[in-house]
Amino acid sequence: MPGSYKLSQEQQMIRAMAREIAKNRLAPRAAEIDREGEFPWHSIKLCRENQILQMPVPTEYGGSGADELSLCLVIEEFAIECANSAHALVAHWLGITPLLLACNEEQKKRIFPMLGEKLIAFSITEPEAGSDVRNLKTRAVLKGSDYILNGTKCFCTDAATADYIVIFAQTDPSAGSHGLSAFFVGKNTPGLSIGKIEDQMGMRGTQACEIILDNCHVPKENLIGKENGGYGLAMQTFDRTRPIDASIAVGIAQGALNYAKDYAKQRVQFGRPIAEFQGIQFMLADMAIGIEAARNLLYRAVSLIDDGTVDSMLSAMAKCFATDMAMKVTTDAMQVLGGYGYMKDYPVERMFRDAKLMQIVEGTNQIQRVVVASNLLRR
């Protein structure tokens, strides 16, 4: 059956590797990264050492050629212990995805071998164009052998730490969504500068940045895909990466449930552990049910992608359901901990703050519902 899944032996090994790294290497730094707003360089170093950064890249260009389900297994395990580490890796894979979809052979040979070392960011959002990417104001004009980019981008995850950025701009403003193009731009390219770095509520180690483009010259050989083909490329990218966002949410929620469950078994009130009270048991049960439902929807969506049948509706469903679920689970986990859940000495309030972002990135959950509804009514 298309979209059915059963973890292969290799996928089980990948999950075990990710779990070991997360528990022993990522978890000890998670609170500090959040507290200091520090990019998780140590996790990127571990990903480089274990050939994780280039997992989606085809084997002939130095990657693992991993399927999407394997990517989600890694992200879920990372997010259980340190959402910032998971998000940093997902931001890199988001930047890689349009390259995997649209690079020509010359670009593949030039760009792909560096993707296990260099970090890639993805930039489409602007101050006046968030969910409505048709309203992009950034312009790219071809003059001679270069495109010249002018405009301002915002909320670009990890632009300040990336080596390259995939930037979407208007090459034909009169064509609306059919006038967008994508470009592979080195962060040190003259005319590109990093502006405001946002002070975020959560995911404080993977900061959103402003990008300022002032007569930024990009060689025309760094056009990704066809000129004016950027909108379709962006939508194809999101169909593949929204489920990976869902895997962050599932991981965060699982981490919150794990902590709340252990706390409930140890916290004594009225002479017995609060885990023995039915009110707490029902909360934990509902949390577990939500996580398992989201995980199965996620795995179904990515298994369809791996079978070659990308389903925009299922990808949007997975992202929407999993991230809403994570918000509820982390809220309930805080409630199980009572007053301690609200304190920064305990990790659940961090998980709560991290979960909130996942309802917003790569299209708010209201946009996901638009995608679901439009697909539903069209079929």
Side-chain angles (χ1 to χ4, degrees):
M1 175 183 175
S4 60
Y5 65 88
K6 180 180 180 181
L7 297 189
S8 66
Q9 185 175 5
E10 181 180 3
Q11 287 169 333
Q12 292 177 41
M13 291 173 61
I14 288 171
R15 183 172 63 181
M17 173 197 68
R19 182 171 297 171
E20 188 277 331
I21 291 173
K23 280 184 171 294
N24 297 323
R25 307 294 294 278
L26 304 185
R29 293 288 312 283
E32 180 183 0
I33 288 168
D34 175 74
R35 185 172 58 252
E36 302 297 331
E38 169 196 341
F39 184 75
W41 283 114
H42 75 296
S43 66
I44 295 300
K45 181 175 184 289
L46 288 166
C47 287
R48 286 175 176 143
E49 292 171 351
N50 289 277
Q51 289 78 54
I52 293 173
L53 281 187
Q54 67 267 46
M55 277 182 66
V57 178
T59 55
E60 58 266 37
Y61 301 102
S64 303
D67 57 23
E68 183 121 348
L69 180 52
S70 295
L71 304 182
C72 289
L73 294 173
V74 171
I75 295 303
E76 185 180 334
E77 293 298 332
F78 278 21
I80 288 172
E81 306 295 344
C82 179
N84 278 287
S85 294
H87 195 220
L89 183 55
V90 167
H92 174 65
W93 286 347
L94 171 60
I96 282 178
T97 301
L99 304 176
L100 296 175
L101 289 170
C103 275
N104 60 39
E105 190 58 34
E106 181 277 327
Q107 291 170 331
K108 290 177 182 178
K109 292 178 179 177
R110 172 163 54 92
I111 296 172
F112 285 12
M114 71 172 73
L115 298 180
E117 182 65 28
K118 303 297 184 182
L119 294 180
I120 316 298
F122 178 100
S123 179
I124 196 167
T125 303
E126 297 181 3
E128 296 182 19
S131 299
D132 182 13
V133 299
R134 297 171 298 180
N135 198 35
L136 295 185
K137 297 293 190 291
T138 297
R139 289 291 311 276
V141 178
L142 181 60
K143 289 188 178 180
S145 60
D146 291 346
Y147 284 92
I148 301 175
L149 274 61
N150 283 283
T152 301
K153 296 289 188 179
C154 65
F155 300 153
C156 180
T157 301
D158 295 344
T161 48
D163 299 287
Y164 295 89
I165 308 169
V166 175
I167 296 177
F168 288 77
Q170 284 278 8
T171 41
D172 183 2
S174 66
S177 62
H178 297 291
L180 303 183
S181 300
F183 302 89
F184 185 68
V185 187
K187 194 182 71 179
N188 294 325
T189 303
L192 186 154
S193 59
I194 301 299
K196 181 183 180 184
I197 297 177
E198 302 292 344
D199 186 8
Q200 298 176 175
M201 178 178 83
M203 291 292 189
R204 294 183 54 77
T206 49
Q207 295 165 320
C209 306
E210 181 183 56
I211 301 171
I212 300 167
L213 300 160
D214 182 9
N215 290 325
C216 178
H217 286 245
V218 179
K220 63 181 180 181
E221 57 265 29
N222 280 13
L223 171 72
I224 303 301
K226 296 180 180 179
E227 186 175 88
N228 302 327
Y231 180 77
L233 179 58
M235 296 305 105
Q236 291 177 57
T237 295
F238 292 147
D239 284 344
R240 290 161 175 80
T241 57
R242 281 169 175 162
I244 303 181
D245 289 331
S247 67
I248 298 180
V250 170
I252 291 172
Q254 186 66 62
L257 173 59
N258 292 349
Y259 197 91
K261 179 184 67 175
D262 290 344
Y263 178 89
K265 290 193 290 186
Q266 297 170 7
R267 173 67 167 167
V268 174
Q269 291 286 280
F270 304 103
R272 53 180 171 153
I274 64 172
E276 294 183 11
F277 293 102
Q278 191 177 66
I280 299 296
Q281 291 175 353
F282 281 7
M283 290 179 71
L284 296 174
D286 285 343
M287 292 158 73
I289 291 166
I291 292 168
E292 195 60 27
R295 181 179 287 120
N296 278 274
L297 178 57
L298 160 63
Y299 288 7
R300 162 95 169 133
V302 297
S303 294
L304 277 171
I305 293 171
D306 291 335
D307 287 341
T309 310
V310 180
D311 190 317
S312 298
M313 184 170 75
L314 270 180
S315 291
M317 282 180 172
K319 194 269 183 184
C320 185
F321 183 80
T323 56
D324 281 351
M325 174 278 300
M327 199 69 248
K328 183 178 189 309
V329 165
T330 54
T331 301
D332 288 348
M334 290 178 68
Q335 193 70 21
V336 170
L337 269 68
Y340 292 114
Y342 197 66
M343 304 302 164
K344 288 184 178 292
D345 290 341
Y346 292 77
V348 175
E349 65 84 29
R350 181 182 78 241
M351 296 171 180
F352 171 87
R353 290 185 285 107
D354 290 343
K356 184 61 200 174
L357 179 65
M358 304 317 299
Q359 292 180 301
I360 298 170
V361 294
E362 291 194 45
T364 65
N365 280 4
Q366 287 67 40
I367 290 297
Q368 306 310 316
R369 288 174 168 86
V370 170
V371 174
V372 171
S374 62
N375 276 272
L376 184 67
L377 295 170
R378 191 167 60 243
R379 296 183 182 185

